[in-house]
Amino acid sequence: DTGVSQNPRHKITKRGQNVTFRCDPISEHNRLYWYRQTLGQGPEFLTYFQNEAQLEKSRLLSDRFSAERPKGSFSTLEIQRTEQGDSAMYLCASSLAKGHANTGELFFGEGSRLTVL
Amino acid sequence: AQSVTQPDIHITVSEGASLELRCNYSYGATPYLFWYVQSPGQGLQLLLKYFSGDTLVQGIKGFEAEFKRSQSSFNLRKPSVHWSDAAEYFCALNSGYSTLTFGKGTMLLVSP
């Protein structure tokens, strides 16, 4: 399967614990995005990378959230000291972008569902 | 600021009937517009996109959408709905340089 891969698919944790999600994008894609989706809402942008550089972060991304893409390939999203409000589906997407343009199709993974008890 | 509004949270359509899902956007110029579909437990899949040119765009699975600048709309249509079309549909836009902004989605239910 050469699509976007995310793991774990489901994570249940207790409030205050740290969690980490991993995303493996389509191999030739240079951009990688993280979105969050809660019930009844559309996906909300969190952050994106072009290669290894994190180019934009949403105000939704509090200090407890950190994302990395160390070698421009896979990415991790870590949430420290989880809160119940962090319960959501975390979606990863990748695309092939040319220069600064962002008109390429985003290919989404199946998401990582986080439940914070 | 850019925004997308999908006025209908749920829509129920009989199998074989036609479908129209509404999408309105707010943006100062002509945006790039997209429709994605999300089936339960699945990621989002692109149905179609509008960048420029012909205002009626064709997508996968028999879907089409029409861009109407005067109405700031990009409604999704299908002439005959199949039970497998039951899913959540998201309209989205970007400026070509910004990230995608999504609407809240419309859940499509297909009745026999």
Side-chain angles (χ1 to χ4, degrees):
Chain A
D1 186 11
T2 57
V4 177
S5 176
Q6 293 187 245
N7 65 80
R9 294 289 311 279
H10 303 275
K11 179 71 175 178
I12 300 174
T13 191
K14 294 182 179 179
R15 186 162 50 100
Q17 298 295 303
N18 298 344
V19 296
T20 299
F21 299 113
R22 175 178 169 128
C23 172
D24 288 272
I26 293 171
S27 58
E28 62 268 28
H29 285 181
N30 55 357
R31 285 198 179 175
L32 186 148
Y33 304 79
W34 286 99
Y35 281 79
R36 182 174 69 186
Q37 186 178 20
T38 53
L39 198 62
Q41 301 294 319
E44 297 171 297
F45 169 73
L46 292 178
T47 187
Y48 88 93
F49 295 82
Q50 178 143 335
N51 300 313
E52 66 276 8
Q54 189 173 16
L55 295 188
E56 188 174 344
K57 292 194 290 186
S58 162
R59 285 174 293 180
L60 293 175
L61 211 66
S62 76
D63 291 344
R64 296 183 298 104
F65 287 67
S66 62
E68 294 182 341
R69 194 182 183 198
K71 297 183 179 179
S73 57
F74 73 91
S75 174
T76 58
L77 177 68
E78 181 183 16
I79 309 173
Q80 296 182 325
R81 305 181 303 282
T82 53
E83 302 173 354
Q84 288 184 327
D86 297 331
S87 296
M89 177 76 83
Y90 291 86
L91 297 169
C92 177
S94 69
S95 72
L96 182 62
K98 297 179 181 179
H100 297 292
N102 194 23
T103 57
E105 175 183 351
L106 266 62
F107 292 81
F108 283 84
E110 294 180 337
S112 293
R113 181 170 296 283
L114 173 65
T115 302
V116 182
L117 301 176
Chain B
Q2 56 195 47
S3 67
V4 176
T5 302
Q6 293 180 249
D8 304 304
I9 298 174
H10 297 100
I11 281 187
T12 300
V13 175
S14 299
E15 190 168 16
S18 64
L19 168 70
E20 183 168 26
L21 301 182
R22 296 184 292 166
C23 172
N24 294 98
Y25 67 88
S26 175
Y27 183 66
T30 301
Y32 297 100
L33 294 161
F34 306 79
W35 274 99
Y36 281 82
V37 61
Q38 186 178 35
S39 298
Q42 303 295 313
L44 284 83
Q45 181 184 21
L46 181 68
L47 286 176
L48 48 79
K49 58 188 178 185
Y50 171 77
F51 284 174
S52 64
D54 194 347
T55 56
L56 184 64
V57 294
Q58 302 297 321
I60 62 171
K61 304 184 180 185
F63 286 92
E64 66 178 26
E66 186 172 11
F67 170 63
K68 292 186 177 180
R69 186 192 307 272
S70 61
Q71 298 177 18
S72 297
S73 69
F74 188 57
N75 294 349
L76 182 72
R77 301 193 295 245
K78 187 171 185 179
S80 178
V81 167
H82 187 261
W83 63 266
S84 61
D85 293 324
E88 190 156 25
Y89 292 79
F90 294 94
C91 183
L93 73 82
N94 72 18
S95 68
Y97 294 92
S98 62
T99 54
L100 271 181
T101 297
F102 285 85
K104 293 187 176 183
T106 298
M107 181 67 72
L108 173 65
L109 306 173
V110 181
S111 61

